[in-house]
Amino acid sequence: MLFKRIIAGILVGLFFGSLLALSCGPLLFFMLLALSALCQYEFYTLAKKGGIPVLPKTGIALGTLWLAHEYLCRADAAPLHHLLPVSEPLCLFVMIFTIAMTTMFTSSEKRKFEAAGTTILGILYMPFLLGFFFRLAQWGAIAPFATTRSGVFLVFFMCLVIKMSDTGAFSVGLTCAKTIGTHKMAPIISPKKSWEGLVGGIVIGCLTATLAAVGANHYQWGPEGIFWALDGAAPALSLVKTIAVAALLIVVGVFGDLIESTFKRAADIKDSASIFPGMGGLLDVIDSLVFIPALFYAILELLAK
């Protein structure tokens, strides 16, 4: 099980890492669009299996609308950035109004609140939060539809730390379970997670972040001023701050995993799908990364000021 999961994780990581590094801005956008739609579909499928009414087609269509809006209007170099003060509230109006109207005509009379609420949650949980992947990849972009090498490195750094932490937590937890025993962290939600695994994941994730930060400082990877700076200036992320930020991201990633496990338990299923051997569906693969991009983006924005 451990070997199968590690091999699957490495192959998935190499595939997405290669696409991320070699793809242009528009292709990355369509990749994110497809990823978001598939994850939204898995989320809505979980809800339906749990007996909760939902509007999957409406939710996925509106999620696509939101990501298209972010791509065309959000970044400083986006072609329609000047329309952002109007386009954002208009986009929110369209999404909420459409869901309310669709619920009014399609859901059962006594379960309209559930249908509307779950559909909106699916949009916030997937396309809204996943949209920050592209915000990071566009960091410092000066041309429309473009990503930057420094922005792509930020995405790579974030994913590397979280996924190495995931693998470390799984490996340490499994090893401890077979040798000295473990203490369950969330026995009802996720029986296999342990405090020993959490500590192991934090240690391995922080070590990964440290090594990546040292490499970034030496080779000037990432945006200037974050991991490295010119003219003798101190970078915003010193090694101590890098470790602190990595630890925070890892802990939030663990809760992201537990949140998805809560949804699966509510639907009484083990995996959101069976796409990846030993890992489950797309939602199972990225569950620890769902909340991280928004938090990492906010931290970097604060540090960059």
Side-chain angles (χ1 to χ4, degrees):
M1 178 66 177
L2 175 59
F3 179 76
K4 188 177 181 180
R5 178 165 180 154
I6 290 175
I7 292 299
I10 290 173
L11 291 176
V12 171
L14 287 174
F15 175 72
F16 283 108
S18 300
L19 287 178
L20 184 67
L22 300 175
S23 299
C24 60
L27 183 56
L28 279 178
F29 167 69
F30 286 110
M31 284 171 51
L32 182 63
L33 204 64
L35 175 68
S36 175
L38 288 170
C39 288
Q40 245 187 306
Y41 174 78
E42 288 185 9
F43 176 79
Y44 289 144
T45 300
L46 284 179
K48 289 196 289 186
K49 288 182 177 179
I52 301 172
V54 66
L55 308 169
K57 293 180 180 178
T58 302
I60 292 172
L62 293 174
T64 301
L65 171 67
W66 177 258
L67 285 177
H69 167 267
E70 293 293 278
Y71 181 57
L72 294 173
C73 302
R74 172 61 61 179
D76 292 340
L80 302 179
H81 178 70
H82 62 287
L83 297 177
L84 185 62
V86 174
S87 64
E88 188 166 71
L90 182 61
C91 189
L92 290 171
F93 161 77
V94 170
M95 290 194 300
I96 296 174
F97 184 75
T98 300
I99 290 173
M101 290 293 291
T102 307
T103 304
M104 182 170 65
F105 289 110
T106 60
S107 298
S108 62
E109 190 65 30
K110 294 183 179 181
R111 307 195 70 184
K112 296 183 184 294
F113 285 112
E114 293 175 81
T118 306
T119 304
I120 292 173
L121 177 60
I123 296 173
L124 294 175
Y125 185 48
M126 285 293 113
F128 176 77
L129 290 173
L130 292 181
F132 284 90
F133 272 104
F134 210 81
R135 289 205 208 179
L136 287 168
Q138 286 185 312
W139 190 281
I142 58 175
F145 308 115
T147 56
T148 63
R149 287 186 178 275
S150 58
V152 168
F153 177 78
L154 292 176
V155 177
F156 171 77
F157 172 85
M158 174 186 66
C159 294
L160 178 68
V161 169
I162 297 302
K163 283 304 165 186
M164 285 300 293
S165 172
D166 284 351
T167 303
F170 183 81
S171 302
V172 172
L174 188 61
T175 302
C176 289
K178 292 181 177 180
T179 55
I180 62 175
T182 57
H183 299 80
K184 303 295 184 183
M185 186 172 68
I188 297 177
I189 299 173
S190 185
K192 293 184 179 180
K193 288 197 182 306
S194 66
W195 290 107
E196 291 81 2
L198 174 63
V199 172
I202 292 175
V203 170
I204 291 175
C206 288
L207 179 60
T208 301
T210 300
L211 294 175
V214 169
N217 182 273
H218 182 74
Y219 294 104
Q220 296 186 349
W221 294 332
E224 180 185 352
I226 301 297
F227 295 104
W228 60 277
L230 295 175
D231 302 324
L237 280 178
S238 63
L239 284 182
V240 173
K241 288 182 179 179
T242 297
I243 293 171
V245 169
L248 175 61
L249 295 180
I250 290 166
V251 170
V252 172
V254 170
F255 279 104
D257 192 334
L258 290 173
I259 287 169
E260 198 245 350
S261 294
T262 301
F263 292 142
K264 290 190 294 185
R265 187 160 290 277
D268 196 26
I269 63 173
K270 183 179 183 294
D271 296 319
S272 62
S274 56
I275 300 174
F276 303 105
M279 300 175 73
L282 275 173
L283 199 53
D284 295 313
V285 172
I286 71 161
D287 51 7
S288 57
L289 283 168
V290 172
F291 296 96
I292 301 303
L295 177 60
F296 192 41
Y297 180 83
I299 292 171
L300 293 176
E301 282 283 359
L302 289 172
L303 291 173
K305 294 188 181 298

